[in-house]
């Protein structure tokens, strides 16, 4: 039987808790892949938004530009991403995922689905869809 949530919990507290639980379990599931959660997140973002600059990629992947520089170097050295000068000129380099990077992400998506099944097991299919819809709505109105 499910217990009722405490009455004074805030959305930010609950989102923080679920984030911590998911991060820990996903990192465990990724252990043998050799990817960090930051590297996976970067690859996932690039699958959906190819051609981002380091600064925009850092914002989307929720890391500092300094941390993104390290992630980019690691992924580039592993052959999972490529960088090229922007067609608009300037010093900006656009980053794209390679086929090897996309293949790795596709394989890890199954592991993430398994983790989400464990963590969100108390929700039925419609409740999960609604949770995702609401989180997407919240992030679309407040994301950089």
């Amino acid at each position: 039987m499910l217990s009722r949530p405490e009455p004074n919990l805030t959305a930010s507290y609950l989102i923080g808790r679920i984030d911590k639980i998911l991060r820990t379990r996903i990192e465990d599931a990724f252990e043998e892949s050799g990817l960090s959660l930051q590297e996976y997140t970067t690859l996932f973002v690039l699958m959906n938004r190819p051609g981002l600059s380091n600064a925009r990629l850092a914002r989307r992947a929720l890391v500092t530009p300094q941390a993104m520089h390290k992630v980019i170097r690691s992924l580039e050295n592993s052959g999972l991403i490529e960088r090229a000068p922007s067609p608009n000129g300037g010093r900006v380099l656009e980053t794209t995922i390679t086929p090897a990077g996309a293949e790795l992400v596709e394989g890890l998506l199954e592991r993430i689905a398994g983790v989400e099944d464990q963590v969100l097991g108390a929700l039925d299919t419609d409740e999960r869809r609604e949770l995702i819809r609401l989180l997407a709505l919240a992030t679309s109105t407040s994301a950089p």
Side-chain angles (χ1 to χ4, degrees):
M1 183 166 156
L2 295 175
S3 62
R4 290 181 177 224
E6 298 173 33
N8 295 323
L9 296 178
T10 63
S12 58
Y13 171 76
L14 292 170
I15 290 169
R17 271 191 75 187
I18 201 76
D19 177 60
K20 177 68 174 164
I21 292 166
L22 283 169
R23 280 179 180 272
T24 300
R25 293 191 184 178
I26 288 171
E27 286 170 351
D28 290 345
F30 282 8
E31 194 169 340
E32 65 190 51
S33 75
L35 278 187
S36 71
L37 188 53
Q38 288 178 337
E39 290 170 331
Y40 168 79
T41 302
T42 300
L43 291 173
F44 184 81
V45 169
L46 287 170
M47 278 186 68
N48 295 290
R49 292 184 169 262
L52 293 178
S53 67
N54 275 17
R56 291 183 67 204
L57 188 52
R59 283 192 297 275
R60 290 272 175 191
L62 307 173
V63 298
T64 66
Q66 296 82 2
M68 182 52 64
H69 181 72
K70 290 179 183 177
V71 169
I72 290 293
R73 265 199 333 240
S74 173
L75 293 172
E76 192 171 26
N77 290 340
S78 298
L80 301 174
I81 62 166
E82 296 174 338
R83 298 170 70 201
S86 171
N88 299 329
R91 296 180 357 189
V92 174
L93 293 176
E94 293 183 349
T95 307
T96 56
I97 191 168
T98 64
E103 185 178 325
L104 183 58
V105 170
E106 289 294 332
L108 293 173
L109 284 172
E110 292 178 28
R111 292 184 189 182
I112 288 177
V115 168
E116 288 183 2
D117 284 345
Q118 291 172 352
V119 174
L120 302 176
L123 303 178
D124 66 30
T125 303
D126 290 337
E127 290 168 330
R128 277 196 204 183
R129 274 195 209 108
E130 182 65 2
L131 175 63
I132 291 168
R133 187 188 74 75
L134 293 171
L135 291 171
L137 178 63
T139 58
S140 70
T141 60
S142 59

